[in-house]
Amino acid sequence: MKEKKTKLSVIMAFYVTAILVGLPIIYHDYYYDILQVKYYYYCGCVAAMLIAVFFYTLYTGILKKSCLRLNGKIIGKSFTVVDWAHMVFWLLAAISTLLSPFKYEAFWGNEGRLCGFFLITLYTVSYFCITRWFQMRRWYVDIFLAAGLVVCLFGITDFFNLDLLGFEKHLGSVEIYMFTSFIGNVNFYTELVAIYMGIAAVMWIGTQNKIRSVWYFICLWIIFLAAIMGQSDNVYLAMAALFSILPLYAFRTRRGLKRYFVLIATFLTCLKIVEWVSGKYWEKVIHLDSMYNVLTGYEKLTLIIISLWVVIAVVYLYDYMGKKKDETLSPWLWRSWLTAFIAAVLGVCYILYDVNIAGHGSAYGSLQGYLKFDDNWGSARGFVWRTAVENYKRFPLIRKIFGYGPETFSIIAYYNNAHEMNEAYGLFFENVHNEYLQYLMTIGLMGMLGYLVLLGSSFVTAVRKGADRLYLMAVMMGVFCYAVQAVINISQPIVTPIMWTLLSMGMAGCRNENNKGE
């Protein structure tokens, strides 16, 4: 049985590598068909993997034996909470599709970004194959980051308007600033960069090998620069979440504590570098705005950066001279941070109330534009969110529960809001631009709750079973960064399949008790 499992794990190794390395960089006709190409590439990878698994299991007889053993008792023992959550989410999507008046569109997702029931089914099948046969290893993280550096480096060159691969030569002057690297839309690009950032940060914090730590530190510099130059604020939301939650992992050892502050100093230094480059080569680079201007406009930023690096240098020198070794810190350190984090979240909730309900937005100066939710908030995201909620309130009860089917928001918006959208912005929004609201509108309240339970149970399982497994925590931090920025982004077959693959890898690591440490 061990030999058979090993051979199946080889199939999973090829499959996972094809997704992690191939999906981010594959393209055909530049940006013109990039969504369709990546969609068909992912579908092809899943189909090839399933064919290989089927013929191998058929040849060895595993399939027949497995079918004979699939009784309730065996399933109950082998299924985890996350497995059941995934099955429930898939089942709710299936019910939503069957009850939909737009069954064809709900199944294929062709009226949106192709994220219909068919793609959800592929995610589910892929999840169960990976969690059963995949063996988590460090090199998967390394090759994923290596492919990520290629994506990031071309994003950085696009910031300088170099267009090395000729992606933009047929685009209009406005469109040039909306697409970048091998990904396309800048929002999708920074969505992927946020995943790379979460993984590289945990690997940098946790690795003990000096050579590997240099590799991950180089990754962080490039990823931070790419993130800042990516032009989308969703990456700053992911950064805020990462910097807020990472101490719960980092503040357990002396090495982790030091490296966390190096991480902060590195990001702020990258901000300053981009600011200097933008000023020096103003006519040759893309002009950044929004949250970038808020951060770089802080008059004491330079002082903070210098102070951080000085303190870090002193601490490292002190440890070197005193031959200090890495040591486990008191749990009260990360517990204190957790308390402060909860207080900060409550404080943000109060501020949002103060700005949006109490009407005291002017007291927050330039931050009011980010705190006050009106129709123009987030490049008209506020408008789409408002119309989505208004539509949901008018849904019949059955639609409130199960929605109109996956990826059917564009149909709902066309019948109810097309005229209003055109008059207000001259555009048609085929997506809510909030992954959770999108699920609420399309697969209903039950579907959205099912997705949240799936994500929540995955994170809880990772923390409970994988806190001492560096690679597992790294991939789950990537998933976490995706989940946070999804509040202002959309699901699509360019980046989202990577998130599902990483989540599956993390859960596969939780099932393998021997995968610990580095």
Side-chain angles (χ1 to χ4, degrees), residues 348-366:
V348 170
C349 292
Y350 170 77
I351 291 173
L352 293 175
Y353 162 83
D354 198 37
V355 172
N356 293 280
I357 299 178
H360 299 148
S362 58
Y364 299 90
S366 61

mmCIF file with all atom_site columns, all heavy atoms in Angstrom, residues 348-366:
data_model
loop_
_atom_site.group_PDB
_atom_site.id
_atom_site.type_symbol
_atom_site.label_atom_id
_atom_site.label_alt_id
_atom_site.label_comp_id
_atom_site.label_asym_id
_atom_site.label_entity_id
_atom_site.label_seq_id
_atom_site.pdbx_PDB_ins_code
_atom_site.Cartn_x
_atom_site.Cartn_y
_atom_site.Cartn_z
_atom_site.occupancy
_atom_site.B_iso_or_equiv
_atom_site.pdbx_formal_charge
_atom_site.auth_seq_id
_atom_site.auth_comp_id
_atom_site.auth_asym_id
_atom_site.auth_atom_id
_atom_site.pdbx_PDB_model_num
ATOM 1   N N   . VAL A 1 348 ? -11.505 49.851 15.145 1.00 0.00 ? 348 VAL A N   1
ATOM 2   C CA  . VAL A 1 348 ? -11.833 50.105 13.742 1.00 0.00 ? 348 VAL A CA  1
ATOM 3   C C   . VAL A 1 348 ? -13.340 50.057 13.523 1.00 0.00 ? 348 VAL A C   1
ATOM 4   O O   . VAL A 1 348 ? -13.903 50.885 12.792 1.00 0.00 ? 348 VAL A O   1
ATOM 5   C CB  . VAL A 1 348 ? -11.119 49.080 12.836 1.00 0.00 ? 348 VAL A CB  1
ATOM 6   C CG1 . VAL A 1 348 ? -11.648 49.170 11.413 1.00 0.00 ? 348 VAL A CG1 1
ATOM 7   C CG2 . VAL A 1 348 ? -9.617  49.311 12.856 1.00 0.00 ? 348 VAL A CG2 1
ATOM 8   N N   . CYS A 1 349 ? -14.002 49.111 14.170 1.00 0.00 ? 349 CYS A N   1
ATOM 9   C CA  . CYS A 1 349 ? -15.470 49.017 14.076 1.00 0.00 ? 349 CYS A CA  1
ATOM 10  C C   . CYS A 1 349 ? -16.126 50.299 14.583 1.00 0.00 ? 349 CYS A C   1
ATOM 11  O O   . CYS A 1 349 ? -17.083 50.805 13.985 1.00 0.00 ? 349 CYS A O   1
ATOM 12  C CB  . CYS A 1 349 ? -15.981 47.807 14.851 1.00 0.00 ? 349 CYS A CB  1
ATOM 13  S SG  . CYS A 1 349 ? -15.503 46.213 14.139 1.00 0.00 ? 349 CYS A SG  1
ATOM 14  N N   . TYR A 1 350 ? -15.599 50.827 15.702 1.00 0.00 ? 350 TYR A N   1
ATOM 15  C CA  . TYR A 1 350 ? -16.152 52.072 16.238 1.00 0.00 ? 350 TYR A CA  1
ATOM 16  C C   . TYR A 1 350 ? -15.921 53.235 15.270 1.00 0.00 ? 350 TYR A C   1
ATOM 17  O O   . TYR A 1 350 ? -16.820 54.062 15.053 1.00 0.00 ? 350 TYR A O   1
ATOM 18  C CB  . TYR A 1 350 ? -15.523 52.407 17.591 1.00 0.00 ? 350 TYR A CB  1
ATOM 19  C CG  . TYR A 1 350 ? -15.891 53.802 18.066 1.00 0.00 ? 350 TYR A CG  1
ATOM 20  C CD1 . TYR A 1 350 ? -17.147 54.048 18.604 1.00 0.00 ? 350 TYR A CD1 1
ATOM 21  C CD2 . TYR A 1 350 ? -15.000 54.863 17.925 1.00 0.00 ? 350 TYR A CD2 1
ATOM 22  C CE1 . TYR A 1 350 ? -17.510 55.331 19.006 1.00 0.00 ? 350 TYR A CE1 1
ATOM 23  C CE2 . TYR A 1 350 ? -15.343 56.145 18.321 1.00 0.00 ? 350 TYR A CE2 1
ATOM 24  C CZ  . TYR A 1 350 ? -16.603 56.371 18.853 1.00 0.00 ? 350 TYR A CZ  1
ATOM 25  O OH  . TYR A 1 350 ? -16.952 57.644 19.245 1.00 0.00 ? 350 TYR A OH  1
ATOM 26  N N   . ILE A 1 351 ? -14.728 53.284 14.683 1.00 0.00 ? 351 ILE A N   1
ATOM 27  C CA  . ILE A 1 351 ? -14.426 54.372 13.739 1.00 0.00 ? 351 ILE A CA  1
ATOM 28  C C   . ILE A 1 351 ? -15.352 54.317 12.534 1.00 0.00 ? 351 ILE A C   1
ATOM 29  O O   . ILE A 1 351 ? -15.855 55.349 12.071 1.00 0.00 ? 351 ILE A O   1
ATOM 30  C CB  . ILE A 1 351 ? -12.945 54.289 13.303 1.00 0.00 ? 351 ILE A CB  1
ATOM 31  C CG1 . ILE A 1 351 ? -12.029 54.640 14.479 1.00 0.00 ? 351 ILE A CG1 1
ATOM 32  C CG2 . ILE A 1 351 ? -12.669 55.222 12.131 1.00 0.00 ? 351 ILE A CG2 1
ATOM 33  C CD1 . ILE A 1 351 ? -10.558 54.416 14.195 1.00 0.00 ? 351 ILE A CD1 1
ATOM 34  N N   . LEU A 1 352 ? -15.590 53.106 12.018 1.00 0.00 ? 352 LEU A N   1
ATOM 35  C CA  . LEU A 1 352 ? -16.507 52.965 10.891 1.00 0.00 ? 352 LEU A CA  1
ATOM 36  C C   . LEU A 1 352 ? -17.913 53.427 11.259 1.00 0.00 ? 352 LEU A C   1
ATOM 37  O O   . LEU A 1 352 ? -18.604 54.066 10.456 1.00 0.00 ? 352 LEU A O   1
ATOM 38  C CB  . LEU A 1 352 ? -16.533 51.508 10.416 1.00 0.00 ? 352 LEU A CB  1
ATOM 39  C CG  . LEU A 1 352 ? -15.235 50.992 9.776  1.00 0.00 ? 352 LEU A CG  1
ATOM 40  C CD1 . LEU A 1 352 ? -15.355 49.510 9.458  1.00 0.00 ? 352 LEU A CD1 1
ATOM 41  C CD2 . LEU A 1 352 ? -14.900 51.784 8.509  1.00 0.00 ? 352 LEU A CD2 1
ATOM 42  N N   . TYR A 1 353 ? -18.322 53.110 12.494 1.00 0.00 ? 353 TYR A N   1
ATOM 43  C CA  . TYR A 1 353 ? -19.619 53.590 12.980 1.00 0.00 ? 353 TYR A CA  1
ATOM 44  C C   . TYR A 1 353 ? -19.622 55.122 13.078 1.00 0.00 ? 353 TYR A C   1
ATOM 45  O O   . TYR A 1 353 ? -20.573 55.789 12.648 1.00 0.00 ? 353 TYR A O   1
ATOM 46  C CB  . TYR A 1 353 ? -19.923 52.975 14.339 1.00 0.00 ? 353 TYR A CB  1
ATOM 47  C CG  . TYR A 1 353 ? -21.003 53.708 15.106 1.00 0.00 ? 353 TYR A CG  1
ATOM 48  C CD1 . TYR A 1 353 ? -22.351 53.461 14.854 1.00 0.00 ? 353 TYR A CD1 1
ATOM 49  C CD2 . TYR A 1 353 ? -20.670 54.671 16.081 1.00 0.00 ? 353 TYR A CD2 1
ATOM 50  C CE1 . TYR A 1 353 ? -23.345 54.139 15.542 1.00 0.00 ? 353 TYR A CE1 1
ATOM 51  C CE2 . TYR A 1 353 ? -21.660 55.348 16.771 1.00 0.00 ? 353 TYR A CE2 1
ATOM 52  C CZ  . TYR A 1 353 ? -22.993 55.088 16.498 1.00 0.00 ? 353 TYR A CZ  1
ATOM 53  O OH  . TYR A 1 353 ? -23.968 55.776 17.183 1.00 0.00 ? 353 TYR A OH  1
ATOM 54  N N   . ASP A 1 354 ? -18.530 55.646 13.612 1.00 0.00 ? 354 ASP A N   1
ATOM 55  C CA  . ASP A 1 354 ? -18.425 57.094 13.811 1.00 0.00 ? 354 ASP A CA  1
ATOM 56  C C   . ASP A 1 354 ? -18.488 57.850 12.485 1.00 0.00 ? 354 ASP A C   1
ATOM 57  O O   . ASP A 1 354 ? -19.087 58.918 12.400 1.00 0.00 ? 354 ASP A O   1
ATOM 58  C CB  . ASP A 1 354 ? -17.118 57.399 14.539 1.00 0.00 ? 354 ASP A CB  1
ATOM 59  C CG  . ASP A 1 354 ? -17.111 58.789 15.164 1.00 0.00 ? 354 ASP A CG  1
ATOM 60  O OD1 . ASP A 1 354 ? -18.181 59.217 15.656 1.00 0.00 ? 354 ASP A OD1 1
ATOM 61  O OD2 . ASP A 1 354 ? -16.049 59.441 15.157 1.00 0.00 ? 354 ASP A OD2 1
ATOM 62  N N   . VAL A 1 355 ? -17.877 57.285 11.458 1.00 0.00 ? 355 VAL A N   1
ATOM 63  C CA  . VAL A 1 355 ? -17.828 57.957 10.161 1.00 0.00 ? 355 VAL A CA  1
ATOM 64  C C   . VAL A 1 355 ? -19.124 57.771 9.385  1.00 0.00 ? 355 VAL A C   1
ATOM 65  O O   . VAL A 1 355 ? -19.682 58.743 8.845  1.00 0.00 ? 355 VAL A O   1
ATOM 66  C CB  . VAL A 1 355 ? -16.634 57.433 9.327  1.00 0.00 ? 355 VAL A CB  1
ATOM 67  C CG1 . VAL A 1 355 ? -16.697 57.974 7.905  1.00 0.00 ? 355 VAL A CG1 1
ATOM 68  C CG2 . VAL A 1 355 ? -15.320 57.809 9.986  1.00 0.00 ? 355 VAL A CG2 1
ATOM 69  N N   . ASN A 1 356 ? -19.628 56.545 9.324  1.00 0.00 ? 356 ASN A N   1
ATOM 70  C CA  . ASN A 1 356 ? -20.739 56.236 8.437  1.00 0.00 ? 356 ASN A CA  1
ATOM 71  C C   . ASN A 1 356 ? -22.116 56.433 9.060  1.00 0.00 ? 356 ASN A C   1
ATOM 72  O O   . ASN A 1 356 ? -23.082 56.682 8.336  1.00 0.00 ? 356 ASN A O   1
ATOM 73  C CB  . ASN A 1 356 ? -20.612 54.786 7.949  1.00 0.00 ? 356 ASN A CB  1
ATOM 74  C CG  . ASN A 1 356 ? -19.416 54.581 7.055  1.00 0.00 ? 356 ASN A CG  1
ATOM 75  O OD1 . ASN A 1 356 ? -19.453 54.895 5.877  1.00 0.00 ? 356 ASN A OD1 1
ATOM 76  N ND2 . ASN A 1 356 ? -18.336 54.050 7.613  1.00 0.00 ? 356 ASN A ND2 1
ATOM 77  N N   . ILE A 1 357 ? -22.221 56.314 10.367 1.00 0.00 ? 357 ILE A N   1
ATOM 78  C CA  . ILE A 1 357 ? -23.530 56.452 11.018 1.00 0.00 ? 357 ILE A CA  1
ATOM 79  C C   . ILE A 1 357 ? -23.610 57.727 11.843 1.00 0.00 ? 357 ILE A C   1
ATOM 80  O O   . ILE A 1 357 ? -24.576 58.492 11.725 1.00 0.00 ? 357 ILE A O   1
ATOM 81  C CB  . ILE A 1 357 ? -23.817 55.217 11.909 1.00 0.00 ? 357 ILE A CB  1
ATOM 82  C CG1 . ILE A 1 357 ? -23.847 53.955 11.040 1.00 0.00 ? 357 ILE A CG1 1
ATOM 83  C CG2 . ILE A 1 357 ? -25.137 55.381 12.659 1.00 0.00 ? 357 ILE A CG2 1
ATOM 84  C CD1 . ILE A 1 357 ? -24.061 52.674 11.807 1.00 0.00 ? 357 ILE A CD1 1
ATOM 85  N N   . ALA A 1 358 ? -22.585 57.977 12.664 1.00 0.00 ? 358 ALA A N   1
ATOM 86  C CA  . ALA A 1 358 ? -22.591 59.190 13.491 1.00 0.00 ? 358 ALA A CA  1
ATOM 87  C C   . ALA A 1 358 ? -22.282 60.444 12.685 1.00 0.00 ? 358 ALA A C   1
ATOM 88  O O   . ALA A 1 358 ? -22.576 61.557 13.133 1.00 0.00 ? 358 ALA A O   1
ATOM 89  C CB  . ALA A 1 358 ? -21.601 59.038 14.643 1.00 0.00 ? 358 ALA A CB  1
ATOM 90  N N   . GLY A 1 359 ? -21.656 60.277 11.514 1.00 0.00 ? 359 GLY A N   1
ATOM 91  C CA  . GLY A 1 359 ? -21.411 61.417 10.637 1.00 0.00 ? 359 GLY A CA  1
ATOM 92  C C   . GLY A 1 359 ? -20.235 62.289 11.021 1.00 0.00 ? 359 GLY A C   1
ATOM 93  O O   . GLY A 1 359 ? -20.224 63.492 10.720 1.00 0.00 ? 359 GLY A O   1
ATOM 94  N N   . HIS A 1 360 ? -19.219 61.718 11.650 1.00 0.00 ? 360 HIS A N   1
ATOM 95  C CA  . HIS A 1 360 ? -18.055 62.504 12.070 1.00 0.00 ? 360 HIS A CA  1
ATOM 96  C C   . HIS A 1 360 ? -16.839 62.234 11.182 1.00 0.00 ? 360 HIS A C   1
ATOM 97  O O   . HIS A 1 360 ? -15.710 62.188 11.665 1.00 0.00 ? 360 HIS A O   1
ATOM 98  C CB  . HIS A 1 360 ? -17.709 62.174 13.534 1.00 0.00 ? 360 HIS A CB  1
ATOM 99  C CG  . HIS A 1 360 ? -18.815 62.491 14.481 1.00 0.00 ? 360 HIS A CG  1
ATOM 100 N ND1 . HIS A 1 360 ? -19.048 61.765 15.639 1.00 0.00 ? 360 HIS A ND1 1
ATOM 101 C CD2 . HIS A 1 360 ? -19.786 63.450 14.449 1.00 0.00 ? 360 HIS A CD2 1
ATOM 102 C CE1 . HIS A 1 360 ? -20.091 62.267 16.275 1.00 0.00 ? 360 HIS A CE1 1
ATOM 103 N NE2 . HIS A 1 360 ? -20.562 63.294 15.572 1.00 0.00 ? 360 HIS A NE2 1
ATOM 104 N N   . GLY A 1 361 ? -17.066 62.038 9.908  1.00 0.00 ? 361 GLY A N   1
ATOM 105 C CA  . GLY A 1 361 ? -15.984 61.696 8.990  1.00 0.00 ? 361 GLY A CA  1
ATOM 106 C C   . GLY A 1 361 ? -14.902 62.746 8.887  1.00 0.00 ? 361 GLY A C   1
ATOM 107 O O   . GLY A 1 361 ? -13.718 62.416 8.721  1.00 0.00 ? 361 GLY A O   1
ATOM 108 N N   . SER A 1 362 ? -15.264 64.013 8.997  1.00 0.00 ? 362 SER A N   1
ATOM 109 C CA  . SER A 1 362 ? -14.281 65.094 8.839  1.00 0.00 ? 362 SER A CA  1
ATOM 110 C C   . SER A 1 362 ? -13.189 65.044 9.913  1.00 0.00 ? 362 SER A C   1
ATOM 111 O O   . SER A 1 362 ? -12.094 65.567 9.714  1.00 0.00 ? 362 SER A O   1
ATOM 112 C CB  . SER A 1 362 ? -14.985 66.450 8.881  1.00 0.00 ? 362 SER A CB  1
ATOM 113 O OG  . SER A 1 362 ? -15.689 66.607 10.108 1.00 0.00 ? 362 SER A OG  1
ATOM 114 N N   . ALA A 1 363 ? -13.480 64.409 11.032 1.00 0.00 ? 363 ALA A N   1
ATOM 115 C CA  . ALA A 1 363 ? -12.495 64.332 12.120 1.00 0.00 ? 363 ALA A CA  1
ATOM 116 C C   . ALA A 1 363 ? -11.314 63.432 11.762 1.00 0.00 ? 363 ALA A C   1
ATOM 117 O O   . ALA A 1 363 ? -10.288 63.472 12.448 1.00 0.00 ? 363 ALA A O   1
ATOM 118 C CB  . ALA A 1 363 ? -13.166 63.804 13.393 1.00 0.00 ? 363 ALA A CB  1
ATOM 119 N N   . TYR A 1 364 ? -11.433 62.655 10.682 1.00 0.00 ? 364 TYR A N   1
ATOM 120 C CA  . TYR A 1 364 ? -10.382 61.708 10.321 1.00 0.00 ? 364 TYR A CA  1
ATOM 121 C C   . TYR A 1 364 ? -9.564  62.154 9.114  1.00 0.00 ? 364 TYR A C   1
ATOM 122 O O   . TYR A 1 364 ? -8.768  61.392 8.586  1.00 0.00 ? 364 TYR A O   1
ATOM 123 C CB  . TYR A 1 364 ? -11.001 60.328 10.069 1.00 0.00 ? 364 TYR A CB  1
ATOM 124 C CG  . TYR A 1 364 ? -11.690 59.786 11.296 1.00 0.00 ? 364 TYR A CG  1
ATOM 125 C CD1 . TYR A 1 364 ? -13.042 60.044 11.533 1.00 0.00 ? 364 TYR A CD1 1
ATOM 126 C CD2 . TYR A 1 364 ? -10.998 59.039 12.241 1.00 0.00 ? 364 TYR A CD2 1
ATOM 127 C CE1 . TYR A 1 364 ? -13.679 59.567 12.665 1.00 0.00 ? 364 TYR A CE1 1
ATOM 128 C CE2 . TYR A 1 364 ? -11.632 58.553 13.382 1.00 0.00 ? 364 TYR A CE2 1
ATOM 129 C CZ  . TYR A 1 364 ? -12.970 58.828 13.587 1.00 0.00 ? 364 TYR A CZ  1
ATOM 130 O OH  . TYR A 1 364 ? -13.599 58.368 14.724 1.00 0.00 ? 364 TYR A OH  1
ATOM 131 N N   . GLY A 1 365 ? -9.751  63.400 8.697  1.00 0.00 ? 365 GLY A N   1
ATOM 132 C CA  . GLY A 1 365 ? -8.924  63.990 7.659  1.00 0.00 ? 365 GLY A CA  1
ATOM 133 C C   . GLY A 1 365 ? -8.938  63.213 6.355  1.00 0.00 ? 365 GLY A C   1
ATOM 134 O O   . GLY A 1 365 ? -10.010 62.802 5.869  1.00 0.00 ? 365 GLY A O   1
ATOM 135 N N   . SER A 1 366 ? -7.744  62.973 5.804  1.00 0.00 ? 366 SER A N   1
ATOM 136 C CA  . SER A 1 366 ? -7.619  62.320 4.500  1.00 0.00 ? 366 SER A CA  1
ATOM 137 C C   . SER A 1 366 ? -8.070  60.866 4.521  1.00 0.00 ? 366 SER A C   1
ATOM 138 O O   . SER A 1 366 ? -8.346  60.276 3.470  1.00 0.00 ? 366 SER A O   1
ATOM 139 C CB  . SER A 1 366 ? -6.169  62.394 4.006  1.00 0.00 ? 366 SER A CB  1
ATOM 140 O OG  . SER A 1 366 ? -5.296  61.733 4.914  1.00 0.00 ? 366 SER A OG  1
#
